[in-house]
Amino acid sequence: MTALTAMAGCTLQTQASAPPKPIETLPQLTVGHTKDSSAYLRNYYAKIQASRLVHDQLRRDGGGPDTPFTDVMLARNFERIAFNSEYSKVGDRRITQEHAVRLTRWTRPVRFGLSFGDAVPEDQREIDRQVFAPYVARLARLTGHPISAATGAVPLGVNFTVMILTETERRASAAALRRAVPGISDADLSQIANLNRDTHCVIFAADRGDNNQIERAVAVIRAELPDLMRAACIHEELAQGLGLPNDSPEARPSIFNDSDEFGLLTSHDELLLQMLYDKRLQPGMTADQARPIFTKIAAELKGGSA
């Protein structure tokens, strides 16, 4: 039996400390530019990104002197992010409700594959490839786990599929999603097809036999997002799909925080990934079982900083 988990979805959030100004002027609706058309959404998300940048969100610096964190903070954040999930399943629906989970990660090699809908322009594809390949290599270095990116017209052995699709393509993606994650439910397919406009990307991971070992995953990213927001989705969904299923308002500097202050993987998040794949931790551990271990690992990584 395959357990399918919605590990994370990158959604539009505001930053409490500096709320963005309302977007007073949305694109005018004209023929062919309905609220669910790609043309409308591209304009809509461009305004969202502009507003985020004005308010110092979507940072790309990885954190600095203004975002110090200690080993105690790192351990606390790791527990909140790795041992909790932001989604719960009620019947056949997934709702935003945090609950405790066991440590979950990949034990087999991860083979990433990047695919695009036919309507995604070639110049946009090239921009995303330039983000994707180096980032996959970075994840491999950080985790020490066998992680690679598939290449070629017909990539083989892909078990983590990243799809960048337009609105129309995403709504018609059921067959491709079933190939990417066999056993995905009709309810999950419906959730992907009917994403709220403010959900920018989403990931589903399959844990065969409920043994806390991820075997397949698929991330779906809106093609209408501007370049930086698409890069942010790539960074967050790929990292979360390795086994970091939650967000925390206390995690800083981090992409695992709904404030959207940071758009790309940070120095803090690099340490979370190192901790997740440390061989002293094992899939299936509870937070109580793992706490003495990850507390020690955090102290080692931070040099016991106070």
Side-chain angles (χ1 to χ4, degrees):
M1 180 178 179
T2 298
L4 192 74
T5 303
M7 299 194 69
C10 182
T11 58
L12 172 65
Q13 300 288 338
T14 59
Q15 186 175 15
S17 59
K21 297 177 182 178
I23 303 172
E24 296 90 354
T25 307
L26 291 177
Q28 295 297 311
L29 299 183
T30 58
V31 175
H33 289 68
T34 60
K35 285 190 176 182
D36 61 353
S37 74
S38 284
Y40 175 89
L41 290 172
R42 286 184 185 278
N43 288 333
Y44 175 79
Y45 293 131
K47 289 177 178 288
I48 296 296
Q49 178 171 290
S51 177
R52 294 291 171 269
L53 294 175
V54 164
H55 291 87
D56 298 322
Q57 293 172 283
L58 297 176
R59 286 173 57 174
R60 290 160 281 179
D61 58 9
D66 64 319
T67 58
F69 61 96
T70 67
D71 61 313
V72 174
M73 296 163 67
L74 179 64
R76 176 202 66 200
N77 295 340
F78 180 75
E79 180 169 349
R80 178 75 180 272
I81 293 167
F83 289 91
N84 292 276
S85 174
E86 62 181 314
Y87 290 101
S88 296
K89 193 166 185 179
V90 178
D92 63 353
R93 297 184 303 111
R94 300 183 190 280
I95 62 173
T96 303
Q97 179 177 295
E98 186 173 312
H99 70 283
V101 297
R102 293 174 180 265
L103 187 79
T104 300
R105 70 186 187 199
W106 294 76
T107 56
R108 61 180 55 190
V110 184
R111 183 77 161 160
F112 283 100
L114 178 63
S115 66
F116 300 93
D118 291 342
V120 179
E122 181 56 38
D123 58 344
Q124 180 175 318
R125 298 186 191 199
E126 186 56 31
I127 290 171
D128 293 341
R129 292 188 191 108
Q130 293 299 318
V131 173
F132 178 76
Y135 185 57
V136 170
R138 181 181 175 189
L139 293 175
R141 291 193 302 271
L142 290 171
T143 61
H145 191 72
I147 294 174
S148 61
T151 58
V154 185
L156 300 176
V158 170
N159 51 16
F160 195 140
T161 305
V162 181
M163 299 180 179
I164 299 181
L165 306 172
T166 65
E167 179 74 5
T168 300
E169 290 167 338
R170 195 195 70 255
R171 291 180 179 275
S173 63
L177 289 167
R178 285 195 176 100
R179 288 193 297 272
V181 182
I184 188 170
S185 71
D186 289 342
D188 290 327
L189 292 173
S190 177
Q191 180 176 338
I192 293 173
N194 297 290
L195 286 184
N196 181 286
R197 183 176 65 179
D198 291 333
T199 299
H200 305 153
C201 39
V202 67
I203 183 168
F204 288 81
D207 162 15
R208 189 178 301 277
D210 294 331
N211 60 4
N212 301 106
Q213 298 177 31
I214 305 170
E215 295 195 357
R216 298 188 76 88
V218 60
V220 180
I221 299 172
R222 289 182 178 273
E224 293 86 1
L225 297 170
D227 294 348
L228 179 53
M229 289 174 69
R230 288 199 318 280
C233 272
I234 290 172
H235 274 233
E236 181 173 4
E237 304 300 23
L238 270 60
Q240 291 201 298
L242 291 179
L244 295 171
N246 201 27
D247 289 326
S248 171
E250 296 181 317
R252 185 173 185 260
S254 181
I255 59 175
F256 303 108
N257 185 322
D258 282 339
S259 70
D260 289 342
E261 180 184 7
F262 288 87
L264 305 184
L265 199 76
T266 68
S267 57
H268 170 278
D269 301 332
E270 291 183 336
L271 299 183
L272 293 182
L273 287 164
Q274 290 181 49
M275 294 171 70
L276 177 65
Y277 281 85
D278 191 293
K279 296 186 186 306
R280 287 169 284 184
L281 295 174
Q282 294 299 317
M285 281 184 166
T286 65
D288 287 343
Q289 291 170 332
R291 192 174 296 112
I293 302 172
F294 68 69
T295 299
K296 180 179 180 181
I297 298 170
E300 292 172 356
L301 291 173
K302 289 293 292 179
S305 58

